[in-house]
Amino acid sequence: VILLDASLEAVKNRLKDDRSRPLLHQPGSSDVLAGLYAARREAYRAAADTVLNADGSPEETAEAARKLLQGTF
């Protein structure tokens, strides 16, 4: 299991225009997102065999994952 781990700031930036997530467009949504992020992050990390930083572009993250997997197989 590879965890694509993005910082809270990167997650906020990616979701800022996503209208399919009504919870994120209410007063206090920044606190809600921070709470969900903190609550889930440790569980995700515990389940991961490898953690890959995913703060970059999708292309950069995919390339890093490709390189990681090439060394694995």
Side-chain angles (χ1 to χ4, degrees), residues 3 16 22 24 31 50 54-56 70 72-73:
L3 171 61
K16 69 181 177 207
L24 299 179
D31 292 336
T50 301
D55 281 348
Q70 277 184 333
T72 303
F73 298 105

Side-chain angles (χ1 to χ4, degrees), residues 53-71:
N53 182 294
D55 281 348
S57 70
E59 295 80 12
E60 291 168 332
T61 302
E63 179 63 16
R66 185 187 67 76
K67 288 178 179 177
L68 176 70
L69 291 170
Q70 277 184 333

Side-chain angles (χ1 to χ4, degrees), residues 16-52:
K16 69 181 177 207
D17 296 324
D18 187 344
R19 297 291 172 213
S20 70
R21 298 172 185 259
L23 183 64
L24 299 179
H25 298 284
Q26 299 177 15
S29 63
S30 185
D31 292 336
V32 170
L33 182 58
L36 289 171
Y37 181 88
R40 294 175 179 175
R41 191 167 193 217
E42 288 309 311
Y44 293 161
R45 285 181 159 270
D49 297 309
T50 301
V51 178
L52 185 64

